[in-house]
Amino acid sequence: MKNLPLHIERIFLKDSINCNSEEYPFNLPVIQNFRSLEFRKPVTFLVGENGSGKSTLLEAFAVCYGFNPEGGSKNFNFSTMSSHSSFHECLRITKSYNHAKDGYFLRAESYYNVASEIERLDSEGRGTPIKMSYGGKSLHDQSHGESFWSLLQHRLGGNGVYIFDEPEAALSPMRLLSLLVRIDELVKLNSQFIISTHSPIIMAYPNADIYEITEGKLKLTQFEDTEHFIITKYFVNQYKKLLHELKIDV
């Protein structure tokens, strides 16, 4: 398993398509500057400030790979609101001979819609209920965090491509540590992850590539050099001083 190439080796801009535009998302610097991204590690992180374009970039990667814009597996084909960009049409993917047998696009902001689609499909009574792949319990009968964890624990089987957009949104710090363990288990089962996140806990996963959006470009960086790590470390070690600097009474 360790010697197998990654499922996705490269995502790049098509030469034959003009993606120049003044409209969103083509007006984002990271989109304007994007040419290609080489994947070298089983886990790749995209990090950056709010509005930097990391989720937009991740969404385009996922749709280009064949996932539904709102999330789920490649078998999901529904739309509650067409809000995704057309940037995926400008992209092309290089895959290796190591074809993935599983895959999932997890979007924190639209996971409710995925859960609703599962309920709708299961209500039709065709074959084995889809919820059985999520632990056997309706995702709507669980808290947001519990339903996230049901997906991570039960639905993902390995040998897959898993694209996560801010998975920390519904998970406690303890669950984030469990997520690290789950990611590691799946990596050892020939899986590849592309994750956008604000969480220093998640991006601490060892032997991963971290691309931080800096000055409108994807820059390969070290965990300890990310703004997320630096600010979090400063807050934890000197939170009273920081609160004072923010003019918040302690």
Side-chain angles (χ1 to χ4, degrees):
M1 289 291 187
K2 292 183 179 180
N3 295 324
L4 289 174
L6 299 176
H7 302 297
I8 299 176
E9 296 182 327
R10 181 173 177 247
I11 296 179
F12 59 98
L13 200 66
K14 294 179 183 178
D15 293 331
S16 59
I17 291 184
N18 183 0
C19 295
N20 295 323
S21 173
E22 296 300 321
E23 297 181 358
Y24 177 86
F26 301 100
N27 59 349
L28 293 173
V30 70
I31 300 297
Q32 294 174 344
N33 292 321
F34 183 83
R35 294 297 177 269
S36 68
L37 183 60
E38 305 282 344
F39 295 95
R40 311 179 308 166
K41 308 285 183 63
V43 179
T44 302
F45 292 111
L46 303 182
V47 304
E49 188 52 81
N50 292 331
S52 62
K54 64 184 182 304
S55 291
T56 301
L57 204 57
L58 190 82
E59 175 196 84
F61 292 171
V63 177
C64 184
Y65 185 70
F67 288 119
N68 183 61
E70 293 189 47
S73 69
K74 286 189 175 182
N75 294 325
F76 282 82
N77 185 23
F78 70 96
S79 176
T80 56
M81 184 174 68
S82 182
S83 60
H84 64 286
S85 75
S86 59
F87 182 57
H88 66 279
E89 298 175 359
C90 302
L91 301 176
R92 183 168 292 164
I93 288 181
T94 300
K95 303 176 185 177
S96 74
Y97 68 82
N98 179 24
H99 299 298
K101 293 185 172 62
D102 190 28
Y104 208 92
F105 178 29
L106 173 62
R107 299 194 68 169
E109 66 181 36
S110 58
Y111 189 55
Y112 178 90
N113 300 339
V114 173
S116 297
E117 177 66 3
I118 292 172
E119 289 277 307
R120 186 189 70 79
L121 293 172
D122 282 351
S123 69
E124 295 177 353
R126 300 178 184 178
T128 303
I130 299 173
K131 69 179 181 181
M132 300 308 295
S133 297
Y134 293 76
K137 185 178 180 181
S138 169
L139 296 176
H140 281 319
D141 291 340
Q142 305 175 58
S143 72
H144 197 34
E146 287 174 329
S147 65
F148 260 50
W149 189 246
S150 293
L151 160 68
L152 297 169
Q153 192 173 26
H154 299 290
R155 168 59 185 78
L156 311 184
N159 194 19
V161 170
Y162 304 120
I163 301 179
F164 292 174
D165 185 21
E166 300 183 7
E168 70 271 16
L171 300 177
S172 69
M174 187 61 70
R175 280 297 194 199
L176 291 177
L177 295 176
S178 298
L179 173 59
L180 288 179
V181 174
R182 187 65 181 134
I183 288 174
D184 194 52
E185 291 172 347
L186 291 165
V187 164
K188 291 173 180 175
L189 293 175
N190 187 35
S191 297
Q192 181 176 359
F193 287 84
I194 308 173
I195 303 172
S196 72
T197 183
H198 291 291
S199 170
I201 293 178
I202 296 177
M203 67 180 77
Y205 184 82
N207 196 33
D209 273 344
I210 302 176
Y211 287 92
E212 187 168 24
I213 298 177
T214 304
E215 297 180 350
K217 296 181 180 180
L218 289 172
K219 178 183 176 183
L220 189 63
T221 188
Q222 298 298 312
F223 171 55
E224 294 86 353
D225 294 331
T226 62
E227 184 179 55
H228 304 70
F229 175 85
I230 293 169
I231 292 177
T232 302
K233 181 181 179 181
Y234 181 53
F235 180 81
V236 170
N237 291 335
Q238 304 186 60
Y239 74 93
K240 289 185 178 180
K241 179 182 178 181
L242 181 55
L243 291 174
H244 179 73
E245 291 174 356
L246 296 173
K247 303 186 184 306
I248 298 174
D249 294 334
V250 179

